[in-house]
Amino acid sequence: MTRRILPLLCAALLAMPFTACSEEHQAPPSLDQGGDDENDKPVDPGDGPASGKEKMLWFDTEANFQRFSTKEGITAMLDKTVEAGFNKIVVDVKPVEGDVLYASDFMTQATTIGSVTVPARGWDYLQFFLDEAHKRGLKVTVSTTIFPMGMPSTRQGPVYRDSKWNGKTCLQNKPKAGGGSQLTDIKDDPTKVAAFLNPVLPEVREFALSFIREIVSKYDFDAYALDYCRFPDNQSDFSEASKRAFEDYVKGSVATWPDDVYTYDANGGIVAGPYYKQWWEFRSMVIRDFVAAVRQEIKALKPDVKLEYWAASWWGALYANGQNWASTSFMPLQDIEAPNFRAWCSNNYNRTGFADQLDTFLLGTYLPRVYGPEDGESIEFGINRAERMLLNACTYYGTIECSQKNFDVEEACYYCLKRTAGLMVFDIVHVINNDMWAAIKRGIDRAEAEDAAAQQ
């Protein structure tokens, strides 16, 4: 990550207002991500024939809530998906608002998200998607957000309706005027995209595992994707429960909380405390251990269901969210970008990597340019970085975001299929709005045609 990236980067990204697609998958503002080392060069492309690779299209809940309120709306878009060359879809069935779009025994059905209200369906949304996708030869990944349970901007969701969630949402460490810290509840912060439950709490983790078990048990699909399986940003969680868990982790007492982790100067800048680096390690270990628990649960129920996880490719900023998607064999402080990691990275941070717990990592190369091995805002750079950090711990796919009309989606699809084990395109609403169907098909067809010719 760039030398200019500050610890508050992820907090700034997460403070963006609610938009048409889930914030987790929004492309970042312009980021210079480094890459000036002469060894940071592309490897030979290719990872098997493109014709045998998964080409995935994501169906986000919020952005398509009205469109997919009818069976006709769903089938029309599934037909377009097949025509464009995709062979797999990702169906989102638990948005950040916290209600769900599957037949749950204990979760509320989503009928209102933001300003959009749809009639009660009277039919099983997820099962209909599965049935219609399978009729068309499409594989299906089912995705849910994990820790969000409400939308602060609209005060919608379970945490605003049910007192049982009181004290379980994240407590934020925010600056106060003149310097120092103040603790506030994320559910009362309208700048945040979601009211996250605190991943440190055992009861929160068990709740998340319970709806994962329910979905995997009730439905037949190919893969399960963890979305928002993280802390919301660098400001959360600073509750007493997190303090006690952190003290257990470091085997010591934190005398001044939260200042011994960090506080703020008079200008709102972070002032690191003595436990600063260990704090980020602790949080990443919380997420790593939860991902491992999810894998154990899924494989015990249905061993053939793959575990997938999406995260942004700009690894050096994701410590703020507890997202170390690298292999445990990757040593950050020995990497070519090491100077950029030293401000926050502990000597043992590599132990928190969760790549080895995944079947497929969906690498979020949501970047404006396709090529440039030394361009930190290129897909090529992001893939090169992932190869260094994943170290073959799991399969990974290049993933792209299509909200910009001038984005070269054809070339991006082609390159991801040539360089990685698959492709994911986010999101169908952008493909529709920017009329990218034909360009996507050209990119897929070109990669497959080249592979076919090479095999002759």
Side-chain angles (χ1 to χ4, degrees):
M1 183 54 72
T2 175
R3 298 168 181 83
R4 300 199 301 270
I5 296 298
L6 302 175
L8 281 172
L9 171 64
C10 281
L13 296 180
L14 293 173
M16 294 190 297
F18 177 74
T19 54
C21 281
S22 82
E23 177 276 345
E24 179 84 335
H25 291 271
Q26 294 298 305
S30 179
L31 298 176
D32 168 13
Q33 297 184 315
D36 53 358
D37 191 284
E38 64 180 7
N39 294 320
D40 190 19
K41 302 297 182 183
V43 299
D44 291 336
D47 188 6
S51 59
K53 297 181 180 181
E54 290 182 346
K55 282 81 69 173
M56 307 163 63
L57 179 59
W58 195 290
F59 288 59
D60 183 73
T61 292
E62 290 97 334
N64 301 286
F65 196 51
Q66 184 69 59
R67 175 177 290 112
F68 296 148
S69 63
T70 67
K71 292 181 177 181
E72 293 77 13
I74 293 171
T75 56
M77 289 302 103
L78 288 176
D79 288 341
K80 294 282 288 184
T81 298
V82 173
E83 291 169 6
F86 293 101
N87 58 12
K88 190 175 185 180
I89 59 171
V90 185
V91 181
D92 173 19
V93 295
K94 180 184 173 287
V96 297
E97 184 267 348
D99 292 328
V100 300
L101 289 161
Y102 68 92
S104 175
D105 294 333
F106 59 94
M107 303 279 277
T108 302
Q109 290 292 305
T111 56
T112 299
I113 297 179
S115 61
V116 179
T117 297
V118 302
R121 288 176 176 81
W123 43 278
D124 188 330
Y125 178 90
L126 176 54
Q127 190 60 59
F128 185 78
F129 252 111
L130 291 168
D131 291 342
E132 294 300 316
H134 292 155
K135 287 178 185 177
R136 292 160 175 79
L138 292 165
K139 296 180 182 178
V140 179
T141 290
V142 174
S143 174
T144 64
T145 69
I146 300 301
F147 297 116
M149 283 291 281
M151 291 172 59
S153 60
T154 60
R155 298 189 70 82
Q156 295 172 331
V159 300
Y160 300 103
R161 300 192 305 257
D162 193 336
S163 61
K164 76 177 183 180
W165 299 115
N166 290 352
K168 295 180 175 61
T169 47
C170 284
L171 203 61
Q172 302 179 116
N173 178 12
K174 302 194 75 174
K176 63 182 179 181
S181 299
Q182 59 182 335
L183 300 182
T184 64
D185 196 318
I186 194 171
K187 73 179 183 181
D188 299 321
D189 186 344
T191 70
K192 297 302 170 74
V193 72
F196 278 70
L197 301 179
N198 180 9
V200 173
L201 296 174
E203 60 268 38
V204 165
R205 296 195 298 272
E206 177 53 36
F207 168 72
L209 289 173
S210 69
F211 66 71
I212 292 171
R213 289 188 205 105
E214 181 178 54
I215 295 172
V216 174
S217 298
K218 283 189 172 185
Y219 298 92
D220 291 324
F221 48 85
D222 300 282
Y224 188 93
L226 304 175
D227 206 19
Y228 285 86
C229 183
R230 57 174 175 81
F231 288 88
D233 52 36
N234 70 331
Q235 295 180 329
S236 298
D237 172 89
F238 282 83
S239 65
E240 282 298 312
S242 291
K243 176 179 182 261
R244 291 191 297 270
F246 180 57
E247 288 176 329
D248 288 343
Y249 185 79
V250 299
K251 297 179 173 57
S253 177
V254 180
T256 306
W257 182 261
D259 295 11
D260 280 353
V261 176
Y262 71 80
T263 186
Y264 296 92
D265 62 25
N267 297 317
I270 283 182
V271 179
Y275 286 105
Y276 189 72
K277 292 183 180 181
Q278 287 172 289
W279 176 246
W280 307 120
E281 178 189 314
F282 158 72
R283 286 155 48 92
S284 291
M285 189 63 80
V286 169
I287 300 303
R288 194 266 179 200
D289 287 349
F290 178 77
V291 173
V294 173
R295 180 177 184 83
Q296 183 177 9
E297 294 279 354
I298 289 177
K299 298 304 180 180
L301 290 168
K302 293 182 179 176
D304 292 337
V305 173
K306 292 182 179 180
L307 179 60
E308 301 177 345
Y309 188 112
W310 183 93
S313 62
W314 38 99
W315 182 91
L318 299 184
Y319 72 93
N321 306 94
Q323 286 180 300
N324 181 6
W325 50 254
S327 165
T328 54
S329 298
F330 171 67
M331 306 301 292
L333 296 181
Q334 299 174 20
D335 187 66
I336 61 172
E337 295 181 80
N340 303 319
F341 305 151
R342 286 176 182 150
W344 56 266
C345 187
S346 68
N347 291 330
N348 294 321
Y349 190 78
N350 67 293
R351 297 188 307 170
T352 71
F354 57 73
D356 62 318
Q357 299 300 314
L358 305 177
D359 292 303
T360 307
F361 176 53
L362 304 176
L363 174 69
T365 44
Y366 290 4
L367 298 162
R369 293 180 286 279
V370 177
Y371 298 109
E374 298 182 11
D375 178 358
E377 296 183 44
S378 77
I379 293 172
E380 183 178 11
F381 180 90
I383 290 174
N384 293 345
R385 168 186 277 164
E387 288 180 341
R388 294 200 317 273
M389 295 182 175
L390 289 170
L391 296 170
N392 297 314
C394 63
T395 298
Y396 75 100
Y397 298 175
T399 80
I400 62 174
E401 194 259 3
C402 297
S403 62
Q404 302 302 312
K405 290 185 177 181
N406 60 352
F407 177 61
D408 192 348
V409 66
E410 176 184 341
E411 198 66 22
C413 290
Y414 166 80
Y415 187 67
C416 285
L417 287 170
K418 296 294 287 186
R419 281 295 306 277
T420 75
L423 165 71
M424 191 277 281
V425 175
F426 186 87
D427 172 82
I428 189 172
V429 70
H430 298 318
V431 176
I432 294 168
N433 291 344
N434 295 326
D435 193 19
M436 291 179 165
W437 297 106
I440 289 169
K441 182 169 175 54
R442 289 195 299 271
I444 292 173
D445 286 351
R446 180 153 58 99
E448 293 185 343
E450 285 189 8
D451 286 336
Q455 293 178 55
Q456 292 179 353

